[in-house]
Amino acid sequence: MPRIFLSPPHMSGYEEDYVAEAFRSNWIAPLGPMVDAFEREMSEYIGIPYATALSSGTSALHLALIILGVKQGDEVLCSTLTFSASANAIQYVGAKPVFIDSDKETWNIDPDLLEEEVTVCIRTGRRPGAIIAVDLYGQCANYFRIEKICQKYAIPLIEDSAEALGATFNGKKAGCFGQLGVLSFNGNKIITTSGGGMLVSSSGELIQKARFLATQARDPAPHYQHSMIGYNYRMSNLLAAVGRGQLKMIKERIAARRRIFEYYQSTLGGESGITFIPEAEYGKSNRWLTCIQVEPKEFGATREEIRLSLEAENIESRPIWKPMHLQPVFAECRKRGGEISEGLFDKGLCLPSGSNLAEQDLERIIRVIKKVHK
Ligand SMILES: Cc1ncc(COP(=O)(O)O)c(C=O)c1O
């Protein structure tokens, strides 16, 4: 049986034309007209005026922290339930992550715990350098609350929307919240450039700074002159060509992922002991990955038994992110709460969710899962 992957790339067919155009024009070097056009088209899609295309979502997070002035020794509050890149970037600038637990209703950062932590920090004279809110598995965090907290205590906000392109919150698209939004076009994301990312913002000044730092911080001079440490973080023109072809199909890709979620829900929702990642009323998830929770006593098998049964049939699935406060590398970091994300990790599984999954793939997956506890 061919392998079913968790979230493989899904080419639209438009990519080849754009890549051929880049070759024809000899814009192979980093930057070029495809990068400019990809930035413009992405800004229009998201509804935010400024964007800069980068080599990864991780580089976007790193630059966001630098630009917002986060420095050595600062504390940065961050969702604990996330991929390590969100927290790694904090370490890159010498700051210290403080991990905040998830809210049961959305699995995203819990605004009550966030506010509790912020008040303690302020009371003890340690204003956080920034807050990183992650839009987990394609769903926006609660920006009604998070933006208020950030404004009240004058703390910069970074929205890590790496997994949430096209999701909405209160009618606005993911990436629009806080000072800077981070996107990823890694191979497993809803659209991909094979590897890539973007920083988006309503501040032209912040994006200008990001562009400057991402292109080796070259001062305006005919020779190479540098007054700051720069980075080689820009996206190549060839990869931006792939991104333009991908972006053309974003609406269809989200619709397909949402349909896959609904298929799982209609076929597995009746099984006792299986529940699905909730969708908050304030917005619409892009359903990047369909995530379930498995209660072993009710279902008759553990999440790990399901995962191993799928693997035995050449089907990839993955446990929910292991919370950052449980990661050995972040063992020394402070945290607030933790039980919710620990429970989600313990019982949670991400099911294959690629927008190119065929009906018979889905049927094959369901057959395996339904057989596990029999
Ligand atoms: C929440 C989150 N943040 C950041 C990243 C990093 O993006 P990239 O892989 O493009 O560096 C990812 C995924 O890869 C992610 O899932």
Side-chain angles (χ1 to χ4, degrees):
M1 280 293 199
R3 183 152 178 82
I4 297 179
F5 291 98
L6 189 70
S7 182
H10 187 176
M11 292 296 109
S12 69
Y14 295 112
E15 297 86 358
E16 286 174 44
D17 292 341
Y18 283 121
V19 172
E21 195 181 318
F23 271 102
R24 266 197 307 276
S25 64
N26 204 35
W27 278 103
I28 306 302
L31 302 177
M34 288 291 165
V35 173
D36 299 341
F38 187 38
E39 289 171 348
R40 211 170 41 241
E41 287 159 7
M42 186 59 77
S43 302
E44 274 165 27
Y45 173 70
I46 292 181
I48 197 160
Y50 303 100
T52 190
L54 301 167
S55 54
S56 66
T58 308
S59 56
L61 280 161
H62 185 191
L63 289 182
L65 289 161
I66 297 172
I67 291 160
L68 294 174
V70 178
K71 48 187 195 314
Q72 181 94 25
D74 282 352
E75 287 183 335
V76 174
L77 313 192
C78 177
S79 318
T80 190
L81 194 60
T82 184
F83 178 57
S84 62
S86 318
N88 286 343
I90 301 169
Q91 297 279 168
Y92 295 168
V93 295
K96 287 181 279 185
V98 177
F99 296 115
I100 312 291
D101 203 3
S102 299
D103 161 13
K104 240 192 333 221
E105 299 309 316
T106 65
W107 301 13
N108 277 315
I109 196 164
D110 182 329
D112 290 330
L113 293 182
L114 178 67
E115 186 150 25
E116 265 177 43
E117 182 60 36
V118 167
T119 8
V120 170
C121 290
I122 299 281
R123 205 182 324 121
T124 48
R126 295 173 289 122
R127 182 186 304 278
I131 290 172
I132 299 179
V134 179
D135 299 333
L136 195 75
Y137 294 122
Q139 166 158 257
C140 287
N142 184 348
Y143 292 106
F144 291 133
R145 296 281 315 279
I146 298 168
E147 286 203 321
K148 250 192 218 134
I149 296 167
C150 289
Q151 279 153 15
K152 181 170 171 190
Y153 297 99
I155 303 166
L157 172 63
I158 298 167
E159 181 187 4
D160 182 351
S161 298
E163 304 170 1
L165 180 65
T168 59
F169 174 88
N170 195 29
K172 280 177 24 184
K173 290 226 169 68
C176 288
F177 302 91
Q179 277 71 27
L180 287 158
V182 169
L183 307 177
S184 165
F185 313 117
N186 198 349
N188 63 358
K189 295 301 185 296
I190 199 149
I191 66 165
T192 183
T193 55
S194 77
M198 207 175 272
L199 260 182
V200 297
S201 180
S202 48
S203 159
E205 198 187 325
L206 292 182
I207 292 298
Q208 207 45 47
K209 279 188 188 160
R211 236 177 232 142
F212 168 74
L213 290 175
T215 39
Q216 304 285 23
R218 285 179 60 186
D219 291 339
H223 50 274
Y224 281 92
Q225 177 166 303
H226 309 273
S227 315
M228 285 179 79
I229 297 296
Y231 302 85
N232 183 6
Y233 275 174
R234 282 290 257 159
M235 180 180 278
S236 108
N237 201 55
L238 288 180
L239 298 190
V242 177
R244 290 185 74 193
Q246 288 271 293
L247 186 57
K248 270 187 170 303
M249 297 299 281
I250 181 75
K251 233 171 109 184
E252 289 79 1
R253 299 297 181 250
I254 293 172
R257 298 231 180 203
R258 290 191 62 90
R259 266 199 312 277
I260 287 163
F261 182 92
E262 281 154 23
Y263 181 89
Y264 280 125
Q265 202 168 36
S266 65
T267 48
L268 289 176
E271 298 281 331
S272 66
I274 292 197
T275 51
F276 287 78
I277 182 169
E279 186 172 40
E281 278 177 9
Y282 55 57
K284 204 164 168 184
S285 167
N286 70 10
R287 295 297 194 198
W288 173 53
L289 295 182
T290 293
C291 308
I292 57 170
Q293 284 284 292
V294 183
E295 281 298 337
K297 283 207 186 88
E298 289 172 40
F299 181 66
T302 61
R303 150 333 273 285
E304 198 51 15
E305 284 167 329
I306 297 179
R307 192 186 71 76
L308 291 171
S309 302
L310 288 167
E311 195 51 55
E313 296 291 329
N314 209 16
I315 300 168
E316 184 184 27
S317 65
R318 190 164 301 148
I320 298 294
W321 299 129
K322 181 173 183 175
M324 290 304 112
H325 70 269
L326 297 183
Q327 300 288 353
V329 69
F330 296 121
E332 305 295 311
C333 295
R334 214 168 62 245
K335 69 176 170 75
R336 183 159 292 263
E339 304 76 21
I340 300 293
S341 55
E342 285 166 25
L344 292 170
F345 168 59
D346 196 35
K347 295 178 179 156
L349 189 67
C350 306
L351 297 175
S353 306
S355 46
N356 41 9
L357 268 181
E359 180 99 26
Q360 61 266 36
D361 294 334
L362 285 165
E363 286 165 5
R364 203 174 122 202
I365 297 162
I366 297 295
R367 262 198 312 277
V368 176
I369 296 177
K370 287 197 170 177
K371 253 188 5 213
V372 178
H373 63 140
K374 299 264 161 63

